[in-house]
Amino acid sequence: MTGTDRILGVAPYLAIKAPCACASTAALTLSGEQTIDGVLTSASRVLVKDQVDQTTNGIYLTDTGDWERDADFNSSRDIVQGTVVNVYGGSVNSGYWRVTTANPITIGTSNITFGSTTLVAAVSAFMLTVLDDLTAAAAAATLSVLPLAGVTLM
């Protein structure tokens, strides 16, 4: 079963992250409050996905000074290929996004890339996270034969 990190309260390999207020539409300066995709930040969680230096992509908490990666996206144990985050604000990039970078991912070293995804794929990732490894493998094999047009299983 899924373990719980007693410090942060979530499993370190959880494939679904807490939602973000907005997502980048272009490279950002990772400091100061700013308007991103029509959303004015104010100590907000932001999905940064369009940096020229892709090692700096991730989930950040905005600040009037320098931004920092948020607690659930600041170490290599926090992210795996297929990790999903919902972006609930913005006029262009609201919706579900998933990490497309292949494992293993090292924060600060690996280029981290994101692709848009669907709610069905996000729920599939969540269900695979909740199940134990043996059952998850069986579930993935079963789900891969279902006719889910346009959905890529993670």
Side-chain angles (χ1 to χ4, degrees):
M1 281 318 269
T2 301
T4 300
D5 184 316
R6 297 296 177 199
I7 297 170
L8 299 177
V10 295
Y13 46 84
L14 191 62
I16 303 286
K17 296 297 181 184
C20 291
C22 57
S24 62
T25 58
L28 299 172
T29 300
L30 300 178
S31 64
E33 302 298 355
Q34 50 196 286
T35 300
I36 301 168
D37 196 12
V39 176
L40 179 59
T41 65
S42 177
S44 306
R45 247 174 95 86
V46 173
L47 174 62
V48 175
K49 60 177 187 52
D50 299 297
Q51 298 301 92
V52 173
D53 176 1
Q54 293 179 328
T55 66
T56 61
N57 284 338
I59 298 172
Y60 286 81
L61 189 60
T62 66
D63 192 284
T64 55
D66 290 339
W67 295 5
E68 292 187 13
R69 290 183 188 270
D70 212 350
D72 66 341
F73 211 96
N74 67 0
S75 76
S76 297
R77 67 183 229 144
D78 294 331
I79 177 176
V80 295
Q81 183 178 23
T83 298
V84 174
V85 61
N86 180 33
V87 175
Y88 59 84
S91 58
V92 176
N93 283 329
S94 62
Y96 290 90
W97 293 86
R98 68 180 175 87
V99 173
T100 57
T101 304
N103 293 328
I105 299 170
T106 303
I107 295 289
T109 302
S110 301
N111 287 335
I112 302 172
T113 56
F114 292 85
S116 62
T117 190
T118 64
L119 179 58
V120 171
V123 170
S124 295
F126 174 74
M127 292 309 298
L128 291 174
T129 301
V130 172
L131 301 170
D132 65 17
D133 290 343
L134 180 61
T135 307
T142 301
L143 289 172
S144 69
V145 300
L146 295 176
L148 301 173
V151 174
T152 302
L153 296 176
M154 294 169 247

